[in-house]
Amino acid sequence: ETGVTQTPRHLVMGMTNKKSLKCEQHLGHNAMYWYKQSAKKPLELMFVYSLEERVENNSVPSRFSPECPNSSHLFLHLHTLQPEDSALYLCASSQDAGTSTDTQYFGPGTRLTVL
Amino acid sequence: AQTVTQSQPEMSVQEAETVTLSCTYDTSESDYYLFWYKQPPSRQMILVIRQEAYKQQNATENRFSVNFQKAAKSFSLKISDSQLGDAAMYFCAYRSPLIGNDMRFGAGTRLTVKP
């Protein structure tokens, strides 16, 4: 039980669809993260939020739009995705984004398939 | 930019035996943090062990220990008395002390435990 939940666990969408991934952490953390895990590639950090403000954006295409309404919730809005965006999307949280001792706790991920 | 390399895409070990997973990293920083994460087939990534670079003593967590060689930029994970439940993908990760800096992950090593 890591205290980080993600919904949905699986998502299939067409390239013209709009969908959202949801992440919720129950650990009282201040920082949340979105990662993309593609087959045979290292995890790629997409976004970092600290105290609901985005502190890092690693050149992610604009078809991915994050939203952090409060420190417990993080969304990833998806629109006009490409088949190569199919991957496992992992959410993580940590106490703070600015302290590298902080351990990140991961959610179970959303398996996204873009047709 | 920091890079993390796991040179063993796959490893296998006999139950109750010991296995060592390799990890090397590239950095110009003197202070940083290293992690090993485990991702079982259920996909929930969990922390196995972490090491602060300023500590000379190798971290240990029950059957898991690391061999941290700072000069060689090496951070291997040793699993003793391997159990079937240890079968998973193992990711080595590096985190800079810089505020908001992201965690860099290796490509992972898939560990199989044979009964």
Side-chain angles (χ1 to χ4, degrees):
Chain A
E1 179 77 38
T2 63
V4 181
T5 58
Q6 289 185 245
T7 55
R9 294 294 306 275
H10 301 272
L11 178 62
V12 179
M13 59 187 289
M15 290 190 284
T16 58
N17 291 157
K18 290 183 180 181
K19 297 287 184 182
S20 295
L21 309 185
K22 179 182 176 182
C23 175
E24 184 174 359
Q25 58 95 0
H26 313 274
L27 302 168
H29 288 166
N30 295 317
M32 296 186 77
Y33 311 77
W34 278 118
Y35 286 90
K36 176 183 179 183
Q37 187 177 29
S38 305
K40 300 181 180 179
K41 289 178 68 175
L43 264 75
E44 301 170 73
L45 179 68
M46 300 175 73
F47 301 103
V48 180
Y49 274 83
S50 178
L51 296 172
E52 301 145 47
E53 289 191 16
R54 189 187 307 179
V55 296
E56 187 141 344
N57 172 4
N58 283 351
S59 302
V60 179
S62 59
R63 57 186 184 269
F64 295 91
S65 175
E67 178 190 1
C68 189
N70 55 63
S71 60
S72 298
H73 293 87
L74 184 65
F75 294 90
L76 187 62
H77 303 300
L78 317 170
H79 63 97
T80 59
L81 294 191
Q82 305 297 311
E84 59 264 31
D85 295 324
S86 299
L88 183 72
Y89 288 85
L90 291 167
C91 173
S93 73
S94 67
Q95 185 61 49
D96 294 291
T99 306
S100 52
T101 53
D102 283 336
T103 299
Q104 292 185 17
Y105 294 85
F106 286 82
T110 295
R111 170 66 64 188
L112 174 66
T113 303
V114 182
L115 302 177
Chain B
Q2 301 86 7
T3 58
V4 179
T5 302
Q6 292 179 250
S7 59
Q8 307 153 315
E10 296 183 356
M11 291 282 285
S12 76
V13 62
Q14 206 69 36
E15 195 175 4
E17 297 292 307
T18 296
V19 65
T20 298
L21 308 184
S22 301
C23 174
T24 58
Y25 55 94
D26 182 28
T27 184
S28 58
E29 295 170 326
S30 59
D31 191 20
Y32 46 87
Y33 298 83
L34 298 165
F35 304 82
W36 277 99
Y37 278 89
K38 169 186 177 181
Q39 190 177 37
S42 67
R43 293 290 189 178
Q44 190 125 21
M45 192 124 66
I46 55 176
L47 178 70
V48 175
I49 198 165
R50 73 178 193 187
Q51 173 83 41
E52 291 89 343
Y54 64 85
K55 289 186 177 178
Q56 292 186 333
Q57 187 173 7
N58 289 325
T60 300
E61 286 289 340
N62 301 315
R63 298 182 294 107
F64 298 88
S65 61
V66 298
N67 183 5
F68 173 48
Q69 302 289 329
K70 191 172 183 179
K73 297 179 184 176
S74 170
F75 183 60
S76 60
L77 174 69
K78 186 172 84 170
I79 306 174
S80 304
D81 185 25
S82 296
Q83 300 175 359
L84 295 177
D86 294 333
M89 281 289 288
Y90 286 82
F91 294 93
C92 178
Y94 169 104
R95 187 164 187 178
S96 165
L98 298 177
I99 291 176
N101 208 325
D102 59 279
M103 197 125 81
R104 303 280 175 169
F105 286 82
T109 297
R110 181 174 301 283
L111 178 66
T112 303
V113 181
K114 299 178 180 178

